[in-house]
Amino acid sequence: MIKTPICELLGIKYPILQGGMAWIADARLAAAVSNGGGLGLISAMNADGEHLRSEINKVRALTDKPFGVNIMLMSPYVDEVAQIIIEEKVPVVTTGAGNPAKYMEAWRAAGIKVIPVVPSTAIAKLVARKGASAVIAEGGESGGHVGEITTMALVPQVCDAVDIPVIAAGGIADGRGIAAVFMLGASGVQLGTRFLVAEECGVHRTYKDKILKAKDIDTTTTGKRLGHPVRVLKTPFAKEFLKMEYDSSISNEELEAFGGGSLRAAALLGDEKKGSFMCGQIAALVNKEQPASQIISEIFEEAEKVLCGGTKCVI
Amino acid sequence: MTTFDKVVELLVDAKDCEKDSIKLESTWADLSLDSLDTVELVMNLEDEFGIQLEMNESLKTVGDVVRAIDEGLEQK
């Protein structure tokens, strides 16, 4: 049995969070993860407050376990959704794509646990000082918006930088990954890609098939030129985007416009020509569809075995 | 040593900026610093001066940071 401070902090059985993937992490997936003993997350993405409120109500109808909301700080509705989190008394908030400092006081005052995704030690220190309950150190192996530093390098550095629990993300899809980041000092994990193929995940069939088929070298990062790199599968769309990125006759505005709506096209429509199929480098290890609860129990059983065998190299 | 001198020293030491290229009106982009660099810089300045700086959009240039530090020091 694996138990860490994250279990107690969040009131969950297994120290695992499901990534707050935009257009993918909805009430059904979040509830399935929470019912399976982890912390399910709804993505507030770029949608307005009422969309989020309706998803929150749906989660509550499906589970009485704790759940969270991921807030994308670049969303045009960020002020509105930040307020709805408080009104709806959401137990946990994770944040991405920016600095959540300006909302943290109000969230904490409302008794909400705030767990920002941090791409560097300085940001980890900053949010720890503002009262974060934990941080998610997310390495560049992960899917979607990524930083430069890898999980292997980032996690121990963040663990050294702050006194609050660290949750590792990026490049983890099985028990070995969990055991490895625990060795680096993390006390929890966040997985996205593996949950893409959970039975309760409503992402388009084509998206799931692509994840199941993906091999080690099948992802790339687009958007570096625009300052916000995104890890995606090397689909025709991604290849075209990369070509345009290296073409100096194409303006940044044209490039932004070409990429607009591409995650929605992948997640909802499975459109290979216009879709950005975001996923982590670990997609190659994701080979079977299972209920979320089974994914969770299986990977922690495996992690336990790996951790127990960890002394075999010590003589 | 003025606040500006100390900020320059930190930029040269921690971020490998060219000393002569740092002016009060230099923006972060002028110095090739991204958002992660600027958060790190502000955290280092807080430790150095023993003050709290609000990291927000109003800090666009080296001069903005120097002014914010001086205001923080006055309030100390």
Side-chain angles (χ1 to χ4, degrees):
Chain A
M1 174 90 189
I2 287 177
K3 212 169 181 61
T4 75
I6 290 294
C7 303
E8 201 177 329
L9 176 72
L10 304 178
I12 53 180
K13 186 176 172 196
Y14 299 99
I16 181 169
L17 280 67
Q18 157 244 320
M21 303 166 279
W23 290 106
I24 295 164
D26 62 3
R28 185 163 162 245
L29 179 60
V33 171
S34 288
N35 282 331
L39 188 84
L41 290 177
I42 307 166
S43 169
M45 52 182 194
N46 276 328
D48 65 17
E50 286 319 305
H51 171 84
L52 177 61
R53 203 191 296 274
S54 128
E55 287 297 308
I56 292 170
N57 288 337
K58 278 188 216 161
V59 167
R60 288 200 159 124
L62 293 168
T63 183
D64 55 3
K65 300 274 186 347
F67 66 95
V69 169
N70 173 262
I71 295 196
M72 220 269 289
L73 294 161
M74 283 182 341
S75 161
Y77 298 100
V78 60
D79 289 337
E80 192 179 320
V81 296
Q83 183 56 32
I84 283 178
I85 299 293
I86 296 172
E87 288 169 23
E88 292 292 332
K89 299 186 172 57
V90 171
V92 184
V93 169
T94 66
T95 64
N99 177 355
K102 76 175 206 183
Y103 302 106
M104 287 182 65
E105 206 178 307
W107 286 338
R108 283 182 57 218
I112 296 163
K113 295 186 180 80
V114 188
I115 309 183
V117 172
V118 297
S120 73
T121 54
I123 295 186
K125 279 188 208 165
L126 176 83
V127 296
R129 207 177 60 194
K130 295 273 180 191
S133 298
V135 289
I136 301 169
E138 186 181 79
E141 299 93 321
S142 55
H145 291 272
V146 289
E148 288 262 347
I149 312 176
T150 59
T151 303
M152 184 81 158
L154 182 64
V155 170
Q157 294 185 64
V158 171
C159 289
D160 287 346
V162 295
D163 294 327
I164 51 178
V166 175
I167 295 161
I172 308 166
D174 64 14
R176 291 172 296 179
I178 295 172
V181 295
F182 280 5
M183 291 294 100
L184 296 175
S187 48
V189 291
Q190 177 173 284
L191 271 60
T193 306
R194 177 107 188 222
F195 286 119
L196 278 172
V197 299
E199 280 174 13
E200 300 87 348
C201 179
V203 78
H204 196 276
R205 184 67 245 168
T206 305
Y207 206 133
K208 289 194 180 189
D209 288 340
K210 285 187 161 303
I211 299 299
L212 293 166
K213 205 174 133 222
K215 295 282 175 279
D216 52 354
I217 56 171
D218 287 347
T219 73
T220 185
T221 47
T222 56
K224 276 194 180 152
R225 185 177 125 187
L226 301 169
H228 43 86
V230 175
R231 183 170 300 286
V232 297
L233 283 175
K234 279 184 210 160
T235 57
F237 172 82
K239 287 176 194 162
E240 183 62 26
F241 195 103
L242 282 174
K243 243 191 254 168
M244 290 171 70
E245 215 167 325
Y246 286 101
D247 182 344
S248 58
S249 73
I250 292 168
S251 71
N252 283 356
E253 289 71 28
E254 285 171 288
L255 203 55
E256 290 272 13
F258 182 70
S262 58
L263 175 58
R264 181 182 176 277
L268 265 55
L269 311 171
D271 187 335
E272 293 188 51
K273 296 246 159 48
K274 293 180 189 150
S276 251
F277 293 75
M278 299 186 186
C279 74
Q281 285 180 329
I282 208 72
L285 285 188
V286 177
N287 296 318
K288 59 181 171 189
E289 292 179 70
Q290 292 163 290
S293 62
Q294 205 178 323
I295 293 176
I296 297 170
S297 58
E298 185 181 292
I299 59 179
F300 276 94
E301 212 173 286
E302 194 187 350
E304 202 175 321
K305 272 190 206 145
V306 175
L307 286 166
C308 289
T311 53
K312 68 182 175 203
C313 314
V314 184
I315 51 164
Chain B
M1 202 183 218
T2 66
T3 305
F4 176 68
D5 292 335
K6 279 198 181 169
V7 172
V8 170
E9 196 179 75
L10 216 145
L11 280 166
V12 171
D13 180 49
K15 293 284 132 200
D16 273 343
C17 295
E18 295 279 345
K19 193 173 179 184
D20 296 340
S21 70
I22 308 168
K23 312 268 181 261
L24 277 170
E25 59 274 18
S26 304
T27 64
W28 309 127
D30 293 339
L31 300 171
S32 300
L33 300 182
D34 65 17
S35 61
L36 297 185
D37 292 318
T38 54
V39 171
E40 187 192 78
L41 175 71
V42 165
M43 297 298 284
N44 288 345
L45 288 168
E46 288 190 347
D47 290 344
E48 176 79 27
F49 288 95
I51 53 162
Q52 292 239 348
L53 291 170
E54 206 53 53
M55 182 69 218
N56 57 36
E57 299 79 29
S58 69
L59 302 181
K60 289 193 177 74
T61 64
V62 172
D64 293 338
V65 162
V66 169
R67 262 188 303 281
I69 293 169
D70 286 338
E71 279 167 23
L73 288 173
E74 268 170 39
Q75 284 165 19
K76 228 166 93 168

